[in-house]
Amino acid sequence: RIVECPPRPMMPVQSDGKMDWMAAMATLHVLLVALCGVWISATQHVSAFGNRGHPMLSFPTHHLPATAMAAAPSAATDKKSQAPFSLAYPLTQVVSDIDDTLKSSGGVTVAGVTLGGIDVQYDRGEFYPGVFQFMWELSDYSVTINQRYAEFQTEKKGFNGNSDLRLSPPKVAVLTARAEEFKAALEIKDESKLAQAFRKTGESSKVNPTKGWGVGPVLYGSVSEWIIQYKKGLRKFNNFERLLEQDPTGQIMQYIYVGDTGELDQEAGETMLREYPEVVQAVFLHVVSFDPPSSFPRSGLFIPPPKLVNGRPLVFFRTYVGAAAKATQLGLMEPDGLMRVVEEAEKVLQAKGVPEEDSKWMDLERDVDEAYRTLGEMY
């Protein structure tokens, strides 16, 4: 049914009524560009998805885990002095969008242009419950299975080449539609709440606590995609191809992409799966809506069923507990990790004092039920 929504202010405001100056500055910049008649070619990046002819970016090696770099063979190294390759399995790097994936955009628009996304269930800038724990568990699981394999080699076969294996989970790579032209205002800095939340999750982990885990390489969009919206998916996929240059062999790193259904992340994610199924393990998409939760049926917002793209899973989810349940079913997260995501998500809503009848609790409880069903089928 059609729901009449209240008019939205031309200038973005926060939930407390104060001006959102960062969004306002970006908005004025966009309007200024348009009013000045700056022509942006609609044919820029005209190559179809999957075209690998564009320039690649060389990434600094500090984005790779130290042990993985040390273990990778080097042509300049004497073969006799090389240590055996330390990884039994590639590490998993989570690749994430920001708005409506890590935190809510609030559904703010200016002159018909969204400022980051469409979600109105959570306030603008609010982190989604359990999101950091979910990404930590995905990142850390590949470290855990490598460590267990090393222990198995040592204890059962008497092989000690990997007995002192120490790995750190890869940092989260960020693909965002945020314009690089506004990087001075929108850059993710070490002291930002986002970066601090990632670091705190790694440092306080009950398993393999790690200092310094958090945001890794960040690849931005441009003003062009803000005005020509359909180009956002292409830009994110092109940026993902740039990210692959950190490990062209695919022997050290594999990837899980986490985005949302609001800004062409599905288009980008499906193209990743079609073009690079050998290194992209899965795509997870957070289902968001511009409609207020009061308009949803009692069963909640419709969540599309998962599907396979080139043999790899594309999963839709409403909460990060639901995402963790699906990841556990796919063998991308261990059961204990799923429970840690459940505990963290519930703790966040409790700490904020969210009423039990709120749609946030209703969505979470549905996915908690799925989490327990998943665990029950495994044991």
Side-chain angles (χ1 to χ4, degrees):
R1 60 192 179 91
I2 299 176
V3 178
E4 183 178 355
C5 297
R8 299 184 178 277
M10 278 295 293
M11 296 303 290
V13 296
Q14 299 175 349
S15 58
D16 58 3
K18 297 181 180 179
M19 182 71 70
D20 189 338
W21 289 109
M22 183 177 297
M25 182 171 57
T27 302
L28 291 174
H29 194 147
V30 173
L31 294 176
L32 181 62
V33 169
L35 291 173
C36 290
V38 176
W39 180 73
I40 299 177
S41 171
T43 61
Q44 186 180 7
H45 303 304
V46 294
S47 58
F49 278 111
N51 176 19
R52 301 180 181 83
H54 62 283
M56 295 293 189
L57 175 68
S58 296
F59 279 86
T61 55
H62 67 261
H63 291 312
L64 287 176
T67 307
M69 287 193 299
S74 171
T77 306
D78 183 0
K79 292 183 179 180
K80 294 182 179 180
S81 63
Q82 289 180 7
F85 192 73
S86 297
L87 295 178
Y89 306 93
L91 299 178
T92 296
Q93 182 170 40
V94 176
V95 183
S96 179
D97 179 43
I98 298 179
D99 298 302
D100 285 358
T101 301
L102 295 173
K103 60 181 182 177
S104 175
S105 66
V108 177
T109 64
V110 175
V113 179
T114 60
L115 291 181
I118 65 174
D119 182 37
V120 296
Q121 184 184 36
Y122 285 79
D123 293 336
R124 181 173 174 81
E126 192 173 1
F127 295 133
Y128 293 108
V131 59
F132 301 108
Q133 192 68 40
F134 171 74
M135 294 188 178
W136 165 260
E137 299 296 344
L138 289 179
S139 304
D140 186 57
Y141 185 51
S142 59
V143 172
T144 299
I145 61 176
N146 271 288
Q147 291 173 335
R148 288 174 181 170
Y149 182 81
E151 293 171 0
F152 169 79
Q153 294 282 51
T154 300
E155 296 176 5
K156 301 297 182 182
K157 297 187 177 182
F159 175 70
N160 60 7
N162 282 339
S163 60
D164 195 31
L165 181 63
R166 289 186 176 88
L167 292 173
S168 297
K171 293 183 178 181
V172 174
V174 175
L175 305 184
T176 175
R178 294 183 174 192
E180 191 163 13
E181 291 86 343
F182 305 149
K183 186 176 179 180
L186 301 177
E187 183 179 10
I188 304 175
K189 300 179 180 179
D190 288 342
E191 63 271 18
S192 69
K193 292 181 179 179
L194 182 67
Q196 290 178 11
F198 270 117
R199 279 200 303 272
K200 180 180 178 181
T201 301
E203 292 173 354
S204 62
S205 174
K206 298 177 181 178
V207 179
N208 194 27
T210 303
K211 291 185 177 180
W213 180 77
V215 178
V218 180
L219 296 99
Y220 292 89
S222 71
V223 173
S224 171
E225 289 89 46
W226 279 30
I227 298 176
I228 307 174
Q229 295 281 305
Y230 70 84
K231 295 169 60 177
K232 288 183 176 181
L234 173 59
R235 178 61 175 247
K236 289 183 180 181
F237 173 71
N238 285 343
N239 279 343
F240 175 70
E241 288 195 307
R242 296 165 66 193
L243 179 67
L244 294 179
E245 285 299 288
Q246 67 178 340
D247 175 31
T249 67
Q251 294 181 352
I252 297 175
M253 206 80 76
Q254 293 194 346
Y255 305 89
I256 295 175
Y257 179 55
V258 185
D260 62 82
T261 59
E263 286 204 316
L264 297 178
D265 290 349
Q266 182 172 349
E267 187 175 2
E270 289 189 6
T271 309
M272 294 175 193
L273 296 175
R274 284 197 303 267
E275 297 295 326
Y276 298 102
E278 67 278 6
V279 294
V280 182
Q281 297 175 292
V283 170
F284 289 82
L285 294 177
H286 181 211
V287 178
V288 292
S289 174
F290 210 115
D291 296 325
S294 58
S295 68
F296 300 159
R298 291 182 60 85
S299 58
L301 185 64
F302 172 73
I303 309 299
K307 63 180 182 179
L308 293 178
V309 178
N310 208 1
R312 292 292 192 178
L314 186 149
V315 175
F316 299 89
F317 66 94
R318 182 61 171 159
T319 76
Y320 279 93
V321 168
K326 291 292 193 300
T328 304
Q329 295 166 17
L330 293 169
L332 301 173
M333 182 183 297
E334 61 181 348
D336 287 349
L338 169 57
M339 284 306 306
R340 288 190 286 269
V341 176
V342 171
E343 293 169 1
E344 179 62 23
E346 291 179 334
K347 184 172 69 175
V348 169
L349 289 186
Q350 290 169 353
K352 292 183 177 180
V354 177
E356 293 183 2
E357 65 275 9
D358 192 282
S359 65
K360 298 172 185 176
W361 271 116
M362 296 172 65
D363 288 341
L364 186 62
E365 288 170 354
R366 275 190 290 268
D367 285 345
V368 168
D369 289 342
E370 182 183 3
Y372 282 115
R373 286 196 301 269
T374 298
L375 295 172
E377 292 171 359
M378 298 182 70
Y379 296 106

